[in-house]
Amino acid sequence: MKVMKFGGTSVGSPERMKNVSELITRSGEPTFVVLSAMSGTTNSLVEISNYLYKKNPEGANDVINRLEQVYMNHVEELYSTEEYKQKTNEFLKGEFQYLRSFTKDLFTSFEEKSIVAQGEIISTNMMVNYLQEKGISAVLLSALDFMRTDKNAEPDPSYIKEKLSKIMEENEGYQIYITQGFICRNAYGEVDNLLRGGSDYTASLVGVALEAEEIQIWTDIDGMHNNDPRVVDKTEAVRQLHFEEAAELAYFGAKILHPTCVQPAKFAGIPVRLKNTMEPDAPGTIIDNVTMRGKIKAVAAKDNIIAIKIKSSRMLLATGFLRKVFEIFESYQTAIDMVATSEVGVSMSIDNDAHLSEIVDELKKYGTVTVDTDMCIICVVGDLDWSNVGFETLATDALKNIPVRMISYGGSNYNISFLIKEADKKRALQSLSDTLFNN
């Protein structure tokens, strides 16, 4: 069985939903489908929650009414029979009455998570109704019945596998199985979620639980490209990536894939394929545990980076210095992207400035601190094992005319990263493409 996940833009209109229905049924084989909320819906649900936090039920009701009208219009376009129009309208009426019920009571983060979950619940119900109207054997399986996180807010794979296997046994014989991405229950049984972008995670967890032959992530672009097509000319889809390469690219800016998505599939050895709903016959990008030797695959960029440098002669041979520095970042829950050290200093980059002033104040206990803002990390990914003579030189040569603040190499066999000014990003990416891929 294959697992197919479709994002919000892929189900963002009645026409798109019809296209998705053709994609998931054309093989005629049993298929498990994970759907996101229709594009724009989650943002509207978050807006409703914001009004309720501010004790403004009128504002919340206004957004609810507008969203309800959007969906009622979708019903008229999506369904062709009065039976299914009425069935879906009744379902939507109940959903929006449920949303309105939150305008009358105390509102907390628990209620917010229940509200935000309704986007996926609506899209999956509408899709199953459409498939059934077309005479396709389809069933809706609620993610809230099997998708759970543990007390550390991490997915509980044993629980997921046990519950989902039992549910599948009870629902044998269907061609299409549909569930919601993103939403789950936590260890205490409350409605929760896997954070934004978590539908990719859902698909990966489901694929592992079902021991699927392949997990497909469908978006509106033909796989993962070798550079950012919004910035660089002549990019191409990369046909194969190692899981580690895909994770590096996703973390450093390739938005097509959620960084956490590949981890469960990687450990289970299940390939993940990135496909394009607009060009379904294009091969896309396959992600697996195969390393293609001697090849640089792609480049990605991560914006809004801050570089912090601590210079201190006291650091020389001082045990525990780095631990004290890193503990400051940990205490403010601020992740570090890159690190470079010398005998008298250490430089780090972060992408979260929420506690920048507090971090800098504490770092001043240990030395002179300088901060550079408006920086960008350029990540070059491929077979960058240190034994490959000259590979890192290709990347550095491409950036010979661009000031580089930091370089990170050797922490991974798949990545070399450069910290540059954001203003130099476009020039750097184009030069890397010209040097690495277009010659």
Side-chain angles (χ1 to χ4, degrees), residues 330-348:
E330 182 183 1
S331 67
Y332 289 103
Q333 296 184 316
T334 301
I336 295 170
D337 290 315
M338 294 174 64
V339 180
T341 63
S342 72
E343 286 188 343
V344 295
V346 57
S347 291
M348 290 154 293

Side-chain angles (χ1 to χ4, degrees), residues 126-403:
M126 291 181 70
M127 177 60 80
V128 167
N129 284 353
Y130 178 74
L131 292 171
Q132 291 176 350
E133 183 185 51
K134 295 298 179 185
I136 296 161
S137 176
V139 63
L140 176 62
L141 307 179
S142 174
L144 300 179
D145 290 339
F146 63 86
M147 190 62 62
R148 189 177 79 168
T149 55
D150 59 23
K151 291 182 179 179
N152 296 316
E154 294 294 332
D156 186 341
S158 298
Y159 178 94
I160 295 166
K161 183 177 180 65
E162 178 187 347
K163 289 293 183 181
L164 184 54
S165 297
K166 184 178 179 182
I167 290 170
M168 293 296 285
E169 286 177 11
E170 294 169 351
N171 291 275
E172 284 188 53
Y174 288 94
Q175 181 186 345
I176 304 295
Y177 298 84
I178 290 185
T179 197
Q180 300 88 12
F182 174 61
I183 68 176
C184 64
R185 291 192 187 275
N186 60 26
Y188 309 100
E190 300 155 340
V191 175
D192 210 326
N193 57 63
L194 299 171
L195 305 179
R196 299 296 284 265
S199 291
D200 291 348
Y201 210 172
T202 301
S204 190
L205 291 164
V206 166
V208 171
L210 297 178
E211 299 179 5
E213 61 181 278
E214 185 174 280
I215 299 163
Q216 298 182 351
I217 308 294
W218 289 76
T219 65
D220 54 1
I221 187 170
D222 180 21
M224 196 173 283
H225 277 227
N226 60 8
N227 211 325
D228 190 340
R230 299 166 299 180
V231 178
V232 174
D233 299 327
K234 299 180 182 177
T235 68
E236 294 180 352
V238 182
R239 295 308 174 200
Q240 186 273 339
L241 289 167
H242 188 279
F243 278 114
E244 294 288 348
E245 294 170 335
E248 297 277 9
L249 290 169
Y251 181 75
F252 284 105
K255 301 299 184 185
I256 186 174
L257 187 69
H258 195 267
T260 56
C261 166
V262 297
Q263 295 305 318
K266 170 192 170 184
F267 295 130
I270 298 173
V272 175
R273 190 180 297 274
L274 309 180
K275 297 278 286 179
N276 184 0
T277 53
M278 305 302 173
E279 296 181 52
D281 294 322
T285 301
I286 188 77
I287 304 169
D288 52 30
N289 279 316
V290 177
T291 298
M292 192 176 293
R293 295 295 177 190
K295 189 172 179 62
I296 293 177
K297 299 287 188 64
V299 178
K302 189 175 184 181
D303 296 329
N304 302 314
I305 301 297
I306 300 156
I308 302 171
K309 182 178 181 181
I310 313 145
K311 186 177 179 182
S312 173
S313 57
R314 291 180 293 162
M315 179 187 172
L316 183 63
L317 301 179
T319 58
F321 179 84
L322 288 176
R323 174 179 56 80
K324 293 172 184 176
V325 168
F326 292 144
E327 282 177 348
I328 292 171
F329 289 89
E330 182 183 1
S331 67
Y332 289 103
Q333 296 184 316
T334 301
I336 295 170
D337 290 315
M338 294 174 64
V339 180
T341 63
S342 72
E343 286 188 343
V344 295
V346 57
S347 291
M348 290 154 293
S349 70
I350 61 174
D351 63 0
N352 179 1
D353 65 357
H355 299 287
L356 179 61
S357 59
E358 297 101 311
I359 289 170
V360 170
D361 282 343
E362 292 206 37
L363 289 174
K364 285 179 179 177
K365 298 175 187 175
Y366 303 109
T368 304
V369 180
T370 56
V371 177
D372 296 314
T373 57
D374 300 321
M375 306 295 284
C376 170
I377 294 175
I378 304 291
C379 171
V380 179
V381 165
D383 179 23
L384 287 159
D385 188 278
W386 68 276
S387 61
N388 292 335
V389 177
F391 274 44
E392 71 281 0
T393 306
L394 288 172
T396 53
D397 278 353
L399 300 179
K400 62 186 178 184
N401 296 319
I402 293 168

